[in-house]
Amino acid sequence: MSDPAELIEPLVRELPGWLPAQRWFGGKDRPITGVRPLGTTVLLEGDPLLMHLIVEVRQDERSAPYQLLIASRAQLPEYLGSSWLGTEKGRPCYEASGDADVTGRLLDLIAEGAQVGSLRFSREPGVEVHGGLRGRPITSEQSNTSIVYGNQYILKLFRKLSPGENPDVRLHRALQEQGSDHVAPLLGSITGELGGEPATVGMLQRFITDAVDGWAMATTSVRDLMADPELPPDQVGGDFAGESQRLGQAVATVHNDLRRALGEQLADDEELGRTVKAMNDRLDSVLESVPELREYAPGLRAAFERVRETDGPVPMQFIHGDLHLGQVLRTVTGWLLLDFEGEPAAPVSERSALRSPLRDVAGMLRSFDYAAHQMLVGQPEDPQLTERALEWARRNRAAFCDGYAKNADDSIGDPRSHASLLRALELDKAVYEVAYEHANRPEWLGVPLASIAYLTHEVASSSGGE
């Protein structure tokens, strides 16, 4: 088709009804008031036709750019029916990230180092990429879309775009320069244009076969513990504490490498004050919609205020930013960390800022609590199983911190030696979880609320700061 606008313009009118149903769309909390195309690039001519589309999605006073792969063909295979957007000029049109016949084109263009319109497909220096492979999407991913090519490559497409280089690409490059063993090799990237500035739209990595994600391993361990309620945790066959310690070592090593590659700075009193304000602002926002949190507000504010009393320097550096058990893979050689772009819902300025590495530690501690309690959600209260869940969480949280302390640089050391700051960061993360669960999974709300109750009780019971 000579003019892709003949397809794109009518399809864009369908997007307000289609986007909210997509797992990766981040604006499900309010209606879409408008969608307009920002740029279209034809990647494959003929039948099928493949186009890369960037659109601006407006939701009242806010707007955000998203990328889509749009394809059109004379006959739409049955397995692509759920991706159908409409029929234009007698041809079915659909979102094409699940179409193995066309997604191989993206890999081919990276292998060629091609420039197509405003899109630049690049290999990393000294890297060879071989095309000619069909792609299959990973259906479990939420905020982005990843496509696997054979057992060799995985291409992540960042659905919600931001100007500049994505932190995921930048931090992977920095870690590779340090020779890190705890990330999958970065092989290439796709860069587009947004508001006249370059913007990362995709990154290609080596696909790691025979790897298991940390959440699956941890929750299997919890099930094993629940199945043997009489045995001590260290005698249960699926005990996870050894892996938790090795994971802590891996996270500390990644933090060390990022610090060496990209530097650090020390937080002053003003920076600590901004941190406290941001925590209280988040709490104020969540309190408006979640009344169950109100009884804990005084304890939360007290924990946040203790950050101002932190003794000694607080190092700030680039960190993962959204670390949890679902963001790590156990391979035959050790743990890998994934997805360094930070919390997808956070502003770009926050995701690109220097922060305390204890934020990543706090995120992982929260994830251990979630793994421990996931079997109890929606079940009748059982004090024995609740105690087993707490045993598992305490054991693995301690093992993770032990591992982290073993490998951490002296500037951080044992995260538990910064108790007030670590507790405040964990509580701040729990408040974020309360907002998320209230909006998306109300039956899970009790998990972060129980942690907040316990941690704020610790604050009330303790005396002094660090």
Side-chain angles (χ1 to χ4, degrees), residues 203-320:
M203 62 182 285
L204 185 73
Q205 290 180 273
R206 178 74 60 196
F207 181 64
I208 307 301
T209 59
D210 300 324
V212 182
D213 76 78
W215 177 259
M217 292 181 67
T219 52
T220 297
S221 169
V222 173
R223 285 195 293 272
D224 289 347
L225 183 66
M226 297 296 191
D228 284 311
E230 304 303 324
L231 283 178
D234 61 343
Q235 296 180 22
V236 175
D239 184 30
F240 192 65
E243 290 297 341
S244 295
Q245 181 170 348
R246 285 184 282 274
L247 177 58
Q249 291 178 256
V251 172
T253 300
V254 167
H255 284 163
N256 297 343
D257 288 341
L258 286 173
R259 190 177 305 118
R260 281 192 291 270
L262 300 172
E264 68 174 352
Q265 65 184 41
L266 299 180
D268 56 17
D269 290 344
E270 188 175 327
E271 177 63 35
L272 294 177
R274 284 194 292 268
T275 298
V276 173
K277 182 180 185 304
M279 291 174 171
N280 279 307
D281 287 349
R282 188 200 298 271
L283 176 59
D284 290 340
S285 175
V286 178
L287 285 171
E288 291 180 4
S289 57
V290 188
E292 295 91 337
L293 189 60
R294 290 172 189 160
E295 66 178 291
Y296 306 113
L300 285 163
R301 296 195 196 281
F304 297 159
E305 285 300 319
R306 285 198 176 184
V307 171
R308 300 183 194 272
E309 305 166 9
T310 300
D311 293 330
V314 178
M316 309 279 283
Q317 63 169 89
F318 286 100
I319 62 172
H320 183 282

Side-chain angles (χ1 to χ4, degrees), residues 9 15 32 47 77 165 181 213 238 276 306 320 370 388 445:
E9 290 177 3
L15 291 179
I32 295 174
D47 187 10
E165 185 177 54
D181 295 325
D213 76 78
V276 173
R306 285 198 176 184
H320 183 282
Y370 262 77
R388 293 295 269 176
L445 187 58

Side-chain angles (χ1 to χ4, degrees), residues 6-21:
E6 294 182 21
L7 289 179
I8 294 302
E9 290 177 3
L11 288 176
V12 164
R13 293 195 290 268
E14 304 295 329
L15 291 179
W18 181 83
L19 283 169

